[in-house]
Amino acid sequence: MRVLATLDGIVVDPRAPLFRADDLGVLRGDGIFETVLVVQRQPREMGPHLDRLERSARLMQMTLPERASWERAAQAVIDAWPWDEHPEMGLKLVCTRGIDEGDGTPSGFAMGQEVGPETRRKRAEGVEVVTLDRGYSTDLMERAPWLLLSAKTLSYAVNMAALREAEARGADEVVFTSTEGTVLEGPTSSVVLAEGRKLLTTPPASGVLRGTTQGALFRAAEAAGWQTEVVNFPTSALFEADGVWLASSIRRITRVRAVDGTAVKVDGALDEEIVGLYESNY
Amino acid sequence: MRVLATLDGIVVDPRAPLFRADDLGVLRGDGIFETVLVVQRQPREMGPHLDRLERSARLMQMTLPERASWERAAQAVIDAWPWDEHPEMGLKLVCTRGIDEGDGTPSGFAMGQEVGPETRRKRAEGVEVVTLDRGYSTDLMERAPWLLLSAKTLSYAVNMAALREAEARGADEVVFTSTEGTVLEGPTSSVVLAEGRKLLTTPPASGVLRGTTQGALFRAAEAAGWQTEVVNFPTSALFEADGVWLASSIRRITRVRAVDGTAVKVDGALDEEIVGLYESNY
């Protein structure tokens, strides 16, 4: 199930080609994106997603179509989506730098996709993860902005390769680690730990994306009296924590059952509380 | 000027859309490519380019359409190109993983583009380069194959960002360096040094692409009695060498005039000899 809309808010056939061969998105992965969860017509964290899209555009020195056009395209997809049949939708917002040596007009669209059974299984059962070396130091982002470490670009081949590696090792997901041995993020998620009544996640300054879902969870947790800390922590902390979760728009808050084949603490009541905090936002 | 052909060898309108919005090439930069120089109907290093395309596909665990279909598409573009008007062409071969959650059929095309005035200027005048930290160690490739360091993927956003950084610093090109301070490669080129009658370049095992143009140069140089060495060397070697060049398909062998604002040795006769060695292949 796909519903596609252009930035002028027109719904078009998702099976028809939309991009020229010489679009820089096709030739160079030269563009940015966001994926937003929409539940029964209600987008979650649309503001933070559009903020991050704008931030990615700045880091990429790209012209971004105005916010209203993204909202218009998103609404067109939401209006055309068959909500009775599919109560949830993953909404992709994609923007490329446009035609190679063209007039500089970016290419963009909004596209709704159904939330598949694999995602629902991960939500329900939790995930096993493997840690994979990302090859970067946590101080790299600041000294090498050209590496685009905190931009959500379309150049996701490495993220996809890491997920294939996890699958080859019999796991569901990946947690990337820095050269210092600290936890970075998943290929499409943030990592969250609980230690007592405190939630922890890795700082964006270490070269990870600012998590929209993690942000929503922390907002609700703080309102409920939890402490939160944004700090680098070693891989060993995954085994010492009271619970580990991956936070991402479509999978929401998914508990981690095992890391590199070793079980980590899973407390059903705590998991329910954490998921409940996130859901209390909506 | 663009000439576009599909993999069944049919020339199509390059201004018409070819890719669906949900192609993984668009959504994830999830694909591979090659750029081949074609001079007066003669492709240069087509065999090594297709070998590297196959190698990239293996590293990406992608299904690649058979070699004959690439040759057919390339020939269709060559046959349709206006050679009288444009004696040179850059030929892109692009293959993506196909539609997201589709039937696994890859999407591909061959596209000819003219060699622009900027490229001709760089060939004629040489280039000024800046060194930029790539954030990787030279031993990373072996221990982290999921980082795809030696695959030529469509995820080139970082390469393009590095070139923008060079431009912002008043330079033409980039030489990436490792965390050990050794020379890696350019975003779209290999680095070659001359020391006496010896040519040097960085080993692919350090996480750089195997250069097709560098390979052609070394082949001719060896036949002419030069020594060649594939070895890691520090940035300081750029200043001590008798000459430094960037080797890439479209720019061919381009001499480096300055590194980080400091002039490096340029010997007109030596440059002519090196360029002549490369050209002697054709």
Side-chain angles (χ1 to χ4, degrees):
Chain A
M1 185 63 214
R2 305 267 149 99
V3 172
L4 177 64
T6 57
L7 294 189
D8 41 15
I10 296 171
V11 173
V12 297
D13 181 358
R15 292 160 306 187
L18 188 67
F19 278 81
R20 285 170 50 155
D22 56 357
D23 191 285
L24 287 164
V26 174
L27 292 176
R28 299 291 195 188
D30 199 0
I32 56 179
F33 76 105
E34 286 293 325
T35 309
V36 183
L37 180 64
V38 187
V39 181
Q40 287 294 9
R41 312 185 66 92
Q42 299 303 315
R44 293 190 169 184
E45 306 301 317
M46 185 59 107
H49 279 293
L50 290 176
D51 290 347
R52 194 167 65 180
L53 193 68
E54 285 170 1
R55 181 184 151 79
S56 295
R58 275 196 305 279
L59 289 163
M60 289 274 275
Q61 300 173 24
M62 262 179 65
T63 307
L64 189 70
E66 55 172 9
R67 211 167 167 111
S69 61
W70 295 104
E71 291 165 343
R72 187 165 55 224
Q75 198 56 52
V77 171
I78 290 169
D79 289 345
W81 186 259
W83 291 106
D84 288 345
E85 200 183 331
H86 299 288
E88 285 186 297
M89 172 179 85
L91 176 69
K92 276 209 195 292
L93 306 176
V94 172
C95 188
T96 83
R97 204 180 296 273
I99 302 299
D100 187 19
E101 296 171 354
D103 66 1
T105 307
S107 315
F109 63 83
M111 182 172 67
Q113 298 179 271
E114 63 192 287
V115 173
E118 187 61 11
T119 298
R120 288 198 299 270
R121 178 187 72 76
K122 288 178 179 177
R123 279 185 195 161
E125 298 176 8
V127 290
E128 302 205 3
V129 308
V130 292
T131 57
L132 294 180
D133 187 352
R134 189 62 188 81
Y136 285 147
S137 161
T138 50
D139 71 356
L140 184 61
M141 185 179 104
E142 210 153 316
R143 65 171 207 267
W146 48 87
L147 298 177
L148 303 173
L149 290 196
S150 62
K152 195 168 173 75
T153 79
L154 295 175
S155 286
Y156 254 44
V158 166
N159 300 263
M160 300 298 104
L163 291 171
R164 285 192 297 276
E165 176 72 19
E167 205 177 315
R169 297 187 188 188
D172 305 294
E173 279 290 338
V174 171
V175 166
F176 282 129
T177 56
S178 70
T179 49
E180 291 88 359
T182 64
V183 168
L184 292 172
E185 63 189 343
T188 63
S189 62
S190 316
V191 179
V192 173
L193 302 190
E195 289 180 356
R197 302 300 286 174
K198 187 165 74 178
L199 295 181
L200 297 92
T201 196
T202 305
S206 296
V208 306
L209 280 190
R210 196 174 292 275
T212 51
T213 306
Q214 167 268 318
L217 169 61
F218 276 37
R219 187 175 67 220
E222 284 162 18
W226 285 68
Q227 276 188 285
T228 62
E229 199 175 353
V230 180
V231 66
N232 289 311
F233 49 85
T235 312
S236 60
L238 300 172
F239 298 100
E240 292 152 14
D242 296 315
V244 182
W245 294 265
L246 298 184
S248 70
S249 298
I250 305 303
R251 266 162 308 155
R252 308 198 256 198
I253 310 289
T254 307
R255 68 184 180 282
V256 174
R257 288 197 318 262
V259 175
D260 295 332
T262 299
V264 298
K265 264 179 242 170
V266 179
D267 174 328
L270 177 60
D271 181 55
E272 208 168 300
E273 183 177 356
I274 297 291
V275 170
L277 284 170
Y278 161 74
E279 290 292 340
S280 73
N281 285 294
Y282 311 106
Chain B
M1 183 65 215
R2 305 269 149 97
V3 173
L4 177 65
T6 58
L7 294 188
D8 40 14
I10 296 172
V11 172
V12 296
D13 181 357
R15 290 160 306 185
L18 187 68
F19 279 80
R20 284 168 51 154
D22 57 358
D23 192 284
L24 287 163
V26 175
L27 291 177
R28 300 290 197 188
D30 198 0
I32 56 180
F33 77 105
E34 287 292 326
T35 309
V36 184
L37 180 64
V38 187
V39 181
Q40 286 295 5
R41 309 185 68 91
Q42 300 303 315
R44 294 190 169 183
E45 306 302 316
M46 185 60 105
H49 278 293
L50 290 176
D51 291 347
R52 193 167 65 180
L53 194 67
E54 287 170 0
R55 181 185 151 78
S56 295
R58 275 196 307 279
L59 289 163
M60 288 273 277
Q61 300 172 25
M62 261 179 66
T63 307
L64 189 69
E66 54 172 10
R67 211 165 166 113
S69 62
W70 295 104
E71 290 164 343
R72 188 165 53 226
Q75 197 57 51
V77 172
I78 290 169
D79 290 344
W81 186 259
W83 291 107
D84 288 345
E85 201 180 331
H86 299 289
E88 285 186 297
M89 172 179 84
L91 176 68
K92 278 209 194 292
L93 307 176
V94 172
C95 188
T96 83
R97 203 180 295 274
I99 301 298
D100 188 20
E101 296 170 355
D103 66 1
T105 307
S107 316
F109 63 83
M111 183 173 67
Q113 298 179 271
E114 63 193 287
V115 173
E118 186 62 12
T119 299
R120 289 199 299 270
R121 178 187 71 76
K122 288 178 179 178
R123 280 185 195 161
E125 298 175 8
V127 289
E128 303 206 2
V129 309
V130 292
T131 58
L132 293 181
D133 187 351
R134 188 64 188 80
Y136 285 148
S137 161
T138 51
D139 71 357
L140 184 62
M141 187 180 102
E142 211 153 316
R143 66 171 207 267
W146 50 85
L147 297 178
L148 304 173
L149 290 194
S150 62
K152 196 169 171 74
T153 79
L154 295 175
S155 287
Y156 254 44
V158 166
N159 300 262
M160 299 298 102
L163 290 171
R164 285 193 295 277
E165 177 71 18
E167 203 176 315
R169 295 186 190 190
D172 305 294
E173 280 290 337
V174 171
V175 167
F176 281 129
T177 57
S178 70
T179 49
E180 291 88 358
T182 65
V183 168
L184 292 172
E185 63 191 345
T188 64
S189 62
S190 317
V191 179
V192 173
L193 302 190
E195 290 181 356
R197 301 300 284 176
K198 188 165 73 176
L199 295 181
L200 299 92
T201 197
T202 304
S206 297
V208 305
L209 280 190
R210 197 174 291 276
T212 51
T213 306
Q214 167 269 318
L217 170 62
F218 277 35
R219 188 174 69 221
E222 285 162 17
W226 284 69
Q227 277 188 284
T228 62
E229 199 175 353
V230 179
V231 65
N232 289 312
F233 48 84
T235 312
S236 59
L238 299 171
F239 298 99
E240 291 152 13
D242 296 315
V244 181
W245 294 266
L246 299 183
S248 70
S249 298
I250 305 303
R251 263 162 309 155
R252 309 200 253 200
I253 311 289
T254 307
R255 70 184 178 282
V256 173
R257 288 198 319 262
V259 176
D260 295 332
T262 299
V264 299
K265 263 179 240 169
V266 179
D267 173 329
L270 177 60
D271 181 55
E272 210 167 299
E273 183 177 357
I274 297 291
V275 170
L277 284 168
Y278 160 74
E279 291 291 341
S280 72
N281 285 292
Y282 311 105

